[in-house]
Amino acid sequence: MDDSHEPATKRDLTEVQQGLKHDISDVRQELAEVRQELKHDISDVRQELGEAKQELKQDIAILRSEMGHQFDDLKETIRDSQTELLKAFYSFTESNRQRVTQLEGNQGALITRVGFLEDRVLELERKLNFPHHPAQ
């Protein structure tokens, strides 16, 4: 018999109420379990993030250290290059100084020779311009 069109009795309502209470209790229980699982999952994620953060900090520290070493190597290479350039310039200036010293010496010798030649030309001019008269 189908009594779905019959009026509900207090007993029917009590059964429905008991059923709803049971269903609500089940939902609350499931919700509590889901909440607990979420808390556990969030805790796991936080722990994993903490570990990842720590690894990232270590990686950054390693990179900084490597970059510092590379920077030091670069500075040393630049200093070595400067030293080589300075040595090359020193050799060039030394040979140039020797050349200048030699040229100055040659110039001094030429000036002395020109001075002697001027003296000789002056002596010749005196002899030509002031002839000697035979002594009487």
Side-chain angles (χ1 to χ4, degrees):
M1 278 205 260
D2 184 19
D3 57 358
S4 59
H5 295 290
E6 294 291 319
T9 63
K10 280 188 177 186
R11 182 174 176 202
D12 293 336
L13 291 176
T14 302
E15 286 177 9
V16 168
Q17 187 179 21
Q18 288 298 326
L20 286 174
K21 283 182 180 181
H22 182 67
D23 290 344
I24 290 173
S25 176
D26 288 347
V27 168
R28 283 185 180 162
Q29 180 68 28
E30 288 178 22
L31 185 59
E33 290 173 7
V34 168
R35 196 177 285 157
Q36 190 62 30
E37 287 177 16
L38 279 174
K39 284 182 180 180
H40 182 69
D41 290 346
I42 289 171
S43 175
D44 289 348
V45 167
R46 282 184 179 157
Q47 184 177 357
E48 289 174 10
L49 283 175
E51 291 170 1
K53 186 177 178 182
Q54 189 63 30
E55 288 176 12
L56 184 61
K57 284 181 179 181
Q58 289 173 348
D59 290 346
I60 289 171
I62 290 170
L63 284 173
R64 281 187 179 151
S65 175
E66 288 176 2
M67 288 181 70
H69 290 302
Q70 289 176 352
F71 182 69
D72 291 342
D73 290 346
L74 178 63
K75 286 193 305 188
E76 187 172 333
T77 301
I78 289 172
R79 284 188 190 122
D80 290 346
S81 298
Q82 288 173 333
T83 302
E84 292 301 316
L85 283 171
L86 288 173
K87 285 179 183 177
F89 280 124
Y90 178 75
S91 297
F92 172 76
T93 55
E94 185 62 26
S95 65
N96 224 17
R97 187 191 61 76
Q98 289 174 357
R99 245 183 266 128
V100 168
T101 302
Q102 184 180 8
L103 287 174
E104 288 174 347
N106 290 344
Q107 183 181 10
L110 286 174
I111 289 172
T112 303
R113 288 180 70 191
V114 167
F116 284 133
L117 289 174
E118 286 177 343
D119 290 344
R120 289 176 70 189
V121 168
L122 184 62
E123 192 62 36
L124 285 174
E125 285 178 347
R126 279 190 200 153
K127 286 182 182 179
L128 290 175
N129 288 334
F130 302 110
H132 275 165
H133 292 288
Q136 293 177 343

